[in-house]
Structures are given as C-alpha cells and as structure tokens.
Amino acid sequence: MAHLPPVDTFDYIVFGGTGDLTMRKLLPALYHRYRDGQIPEDSRIIGTARSPLSRAEYQQRAQAALGEHVKPDALDDATVQRFLNMVYYVSLNGAEADSDWPALKTLFGDASTSRIRVYYLATSPALYGQICENLSREDLITAQSRVVLEKPIGTDLASAEAINDSVGRHFPENHIFRIDHYLGKETVQNLIALRFANPVFERLWSCDAIDYVQITAAETVGVEGRGAYYDRSGALRDMIQNHLLQVLCLVAMDPPVSLEADAVRNEKLKVLRALKPISADDVAIYTSRGQYARGTIGDKTVGSYLEDLGEGVTSETETFVALKAEILTWRWGNVPFYLRSGKRMAEKCSEIVIQFKSAPWSIFSNRPEPNRLIIRIQPDEGVMLCVSTKDPTPTDSLTLRDADINVEFEKAFNIRYPDAYERLLLDVVRGDPILFIRRDEVAAAWRWIDPILQGWKERKAPLEPYAAGTWGPEGARNLLSQSGHLWHEDMKK
Ligand code: BG6
C-alpha cells in the first residue's frame, strides 16, 4: 500500500460501542487505516454503551472482533496491541441526562478541546436527538466536533425531519455526516470517474442510447439476528430509500461543475427531485414486494422469514422489493430505472446494468444483442462491456457471437479493496462531506418513498412469497416483462 497521508489526531466516540456495526465494521475499518499509517498513535477510539464493562474487557471484545472480521494476513500481534492501546470504554447511556457523563468528560480532559472529536451514533435513530441534547448540555460539543448519523434516518419523511431538526439544534449542517456506506464502496465512487473521465461513456449516457437501467443489491443472508429492527423497517426502508437511491443518483446525475461536495450533492438532489412520483394507488403497477419462504441456498436448506423471526410470529414486512423508477428529465425520458433488493436471494451481488438500445438494423444473419455495460459493485468489483464479435468458428457466413470486455479492478490494480467504512470514517475526520448525504437529499428520498409505503399499507400491491435462494417473486419478473425487459440473470440464460 502506498504511503497515505495521516489525518489529524482525533477522538472517535462511538455510541452503540458494543453493537454489531461497531464490532463488524467500525473497529476493523479503523484498524486497517491505523495499520496503513493514517491514524496518529495519540488518537483515541472511545466505545460507549450501557453495559458495565471495564476498559480491559472492552479491549478484549475489540480484539475478538478484529480476529473475526479482519483477514489473518492483515493481523499481526504488535499492530493489534498498539491499536488496542487507542481503545477506551465509558459505560454510559447516551440518551439519559443523568448517566455517567462526567466519566466521558474526565476522559476527554482539558487538552482535547482542540482535537477533532467525532461522535458516531450507531444507536437507534430515535435516540439521536436525545444524545445530541445531552452532549450539548454537558458542554461536550466543541468547535472541532462532528456527528455521524447511521441510517435509517427516520421511518418516513416526518420522522426524518424530526430527527434532523433535533440534531440540527446542536450541530451545524456542515458538521453532520449522514453516512450511507454504499457511497464509500470503491465501485460506487468509481461511477464518478467512469462517467466523467471517459467521454466514450458520457456521450452515450442518455435516453438516446440507453434502453433501461437495473440496479440490484441482492444478498443471500436472512435477517441474521436483526429481526426486531428489520421487521419494523423492511427492504424498502432498509436498502432502497438510501443505498439504491444514492446509486441511482450517481448513475443518473448530470456532470457536476466540480468535485466539491455541494456541487455533487446538488446534482444528486436534482435526480431525487425529478423522480416521477409513484402514488399509493399505483404501487401494483410500479412495485413488487415479497417475503422469503423456506428454500435452499447453495446446498443448505434455510427457513422462512417468519421462522427466522421466531415461533408464532406473523409479519407483512417485505424482505424483497423491486420497483420501476422514472426520471422526468430530457436526459432520461422513457428510460426505466429498475431497482431491486432482497434478502435470501440466489447470489450475493450488487451491480448496475446499463442496457443499451439495439442496433436499428442488422446486416448479419443473426441479430446482434444490444450492448450492455455491467458495473459490479460487489463481489469482484469491476466493469464489463458486452459486445458482439465475429464468431471465430469456421462457417460459410459472417455470424456474431457475444463476448465480454472485462476489467476486474482488484486484479488489474493488484490492491486490496478497502471496506467502504475505511474511507468514510476518515473522511469525517478530514471534514470532507462529499460521500455523505445532505439533509435535503434525505427529505427528497423519503418524499418519493412515503406514498409507496402508504400504498403497501393499504394493501394495494400483494406481498408475494418467494423461495429462499431464488431471484424473488414472480411479480418482479412481470414488472419488466410488461415492457419487454429482462432482469440480468434472465438475459444470461
Ligand atoms: C445495511 C442494511 O445498510 O446494508 C443491511 O441495513 C444490509 O440489511 C447491508 O445487509 C448490506 O450491505 P452490503 O455492503 O453487504 O451490501
């Protein structure tokens, strides 16, 4: 790894410090950045949570988390020990005024008011306002303080606005970092490079040449012990409102005037505001929702969503959603953007498929397939362009055969692809908000999502079961077939 410039010394205070996100993502990400020399040794990572743990016990948990979530070749005892020396713990209920705030204050000491302080809220979003109020009352918000808000921000527009108002009373907007880890994924950032550094793509990037676009985030995992949260959320709120709409923005936005954060965010906002509303009455036309039933993934039989939730539980929460979005602009007139995401699907795969229009006429005996550009977000980040070439098999006529121009970034650049959080956590320290979501983006996304939620609540679209290990319910296929379109996996057949 090339030498990366270190960031300034910081204190990272994580509320929800014993939680799954902290253990699985935040600590491993900070460890990698530390190992690459980007984090000064006198920085501190301070976990806070209600559990009465000693510092040593918390360090042990952190060490176990690294053991589990960092690849063995990146773990060496000396580096792990030095990293753990930066880890502290304060037993504190961030939402309660009379909790042990003095312990946190003592840990900060006087010297640290000048250093960068990041409050990372990895708790239930319902507590964000309360935590910020307590920080403010305890006089813990310095000029150098920032706050990071994990998604989901709210469950609809009204609750999101309430959270943003309550946080906004204590932090200025440019110190609020609303994280969407999809924006930290290399290939998602790479969309900006691919689109705006390669005129060959940008000249074709409109309804003139593009037939339709698909954005998929499919997972094979189920709800993995997060049933209580997930059942209140569902796939639309958990994945589409944030991750997939953000990716859609990067695919569809106009070129920003610069790489300055607001220049990019202004363009994204324009896309969100140009989304054609899907009214509650139209959800059956534009959306498909499903819930996984028992099925097989690989060679493993897995239970249904309801079984995963626990015995005797009923639920109408969707674990799959597909929808047809349209962007009302000159660039995108009549180009559907199909978004879908689901749990317990056939493969773990996040990708963007740009389906170009067919050739207007063919001089060949077999018709060329339309070109297709596939941007793989995960796994195996890369870009593939599907083209027609001459079939090399000896025949008496010139016939066509499909071929792929394929770049796999990890192989091409021979570098470990960092986890999305690695970039984002240090961007907060750097104070660079380009990959974070501005308040008006959150509001615009909810404004578009709310009527869909309403239509579903009124049961205007069926909740279809789909067998685990498949690509979702039949309704998702119908959503495309009515326009003569196919999902990517159906094209491959
Ligand atoms: C999270 C969702 O934001 O993203 C999870 O809450 C989901 O339900 C996860 O599993 C998917 O992230 P990734 O990076 O694995 O695609």
Side-chain angles (χ1 to χ4, degrees), residues 185-195 198 201 373-384 405-418:
K185 290 186 188 280
E186 273 293 317
T187 329
V188 175
Q189 292 173 54
N190 207 359
L191 273 171
I192 297 183
L194 277 175
R195 287 197 51 203
N198 298 288
F201 292 131
L373 180 71
I374 297 150
I375 302 167
R376 280 190 308 272
I377 301 172
Q378 61 191 20
D380 312 325
E381 294 87 345
V383 177
M384 187 162 92
I405 301 173
N406 194 6
V407 185
E408 290 175 44
F409 291 132
E410 201 153 354
K411 275 192 199 152
F413 298 131
N414 192 20
I415 182 175
R416 176 188 77 88
Y417 259 55

Side-chain angles (χ1 to χ4, degrees), residues 55 65 88 94 115 128 159 215 227 267 344 395 464 473 493:
R55 180 180 177 202
Y88 294 76
R115 57 160 73 187
Y128 292 172
S159 54
I215 303 174
E267 294 306 331
R344 288 283 191 234
T395 52
E464 293 179 87
K493 282 176 192 160

Side-chain angles (χ1 to χ4, degrees), residues 151 181-182 185 219 221 226 229-230 238-239 243 343 348 350 378:
K151 63 152 267 275
H181 79 278
Y182 263 61
K185 290 186 188 280
E219 301 181 88
V221 290
R226 293 165 76 224
Y229 151 74
Y230 194 87
D238 187 50
M239 294 293 289
H243 305 324
K343 300 265 183 211
K348 164 113 181 137
S350 297
Q378 61 191 20

Side-chain angles (χ1 to χ4, degrees), residues 75-264:
L75 281 176
D76 66 88
D77 286 348
T79 316
V80 170
Q81 280 316 318
R82 275 187 283 120
F83 176 77
L84 291 174
N85 286 341
M86 300 195 301
V87 173
Y88 294 76
Y89 183 75
V90 175
S91 168
L92 175 72
N93 182 345
E96 277 183 8
D98 58 0
S99 198
D100 199 359
W101 295 98
L104 186 58
K105 260 190 200 167
T106 310
L107 187 54
F108 284 148
D110 293 337
S112 72
T113 49
S114 58
R115 57 160 73 187
I116 292 164
R117 211 177 261 187
V118 179
Y119 293 110
Y120 196 111
L121 310 192
T123 61
S124 156
L127 306 179
Y128 292 172
Q130 206 57 54
I131 295 174
C132 292
E133 199 177 317
N134 289 332
L135 288 171
S136 175
R137 198 202 47 254
E138 295 293 328
D139 208 15
L140 294 173
I141 304 178
T142 58
Q144 290 278 43
S145 294
R146 291 116 213 229
V147 65
V148 184
L149 308 183
E150 257 298 333
K151 63 152 267 275
I153 302 199
T155 52
D156 56 15
L157 177 61
S159 54
E161 289 288 83
I163 291 172
N164 281 325
D165 279 346
S166 59
V167 174
R169 277 196 279 278
H170 307 289
F171 288 89
E173 176 65 23
N174 63 350
H175 288 193
I176 302 175
F177 289 75
R178 296 179 192 83
I179 202 163
D180 182 312
H181 79 278
Y182 263 61
L183 292 183
K185 290 186 188 280
E186 273 293 317
T187 329
V188 175
Q189 292 173 54
N190 207 359
L191 273 171
I192 297 183
L194 277 175
R195 287 197 51 203
F196 305 125
N198 298 288
V200 68
F201 292 131
E202 196 48 25
R203 300 241 153 85
L204 296 174
W205 216 258
S206 75
C207 57
D208 292 340
I210 293 177
D211 197 5
Y212 58 103
V213 176
Q214 302 180 14
I215 303 174
T216 295
E219 301 181 88
T220 50
V221 290
V223 283
E224 311 293 297
R226 293 165 76 224
Y229 151 74
Y230 194 87
D231 201 49
R232 277 181 276 114
S233 171
L236 187 65
R237 291 187 177 103
D238 187 50
M239 294 293 289
I240 306 279
Q241 187 273 342
N242 33 74
H243 305 324
L244 269 73
L245 281 184
Q246 284 294 318
V247 175
L248 167 91
C249 286
L250 293 176
V251 173
M253 72 183 186
D254 285 338
V257 290
S258 72
L259 281 181
E260 200 259 320
D262 276 336
V264 174

Side-chain angles (χ1 to χ4, degrees), residues 25 192 194 252 269 319 381 398 441:
K25 293 288 184 184
I192 297 183
L194 277 175
L269 183 65
T319 60
E381 294 87 345
L398 200 161
E441 292 178 78

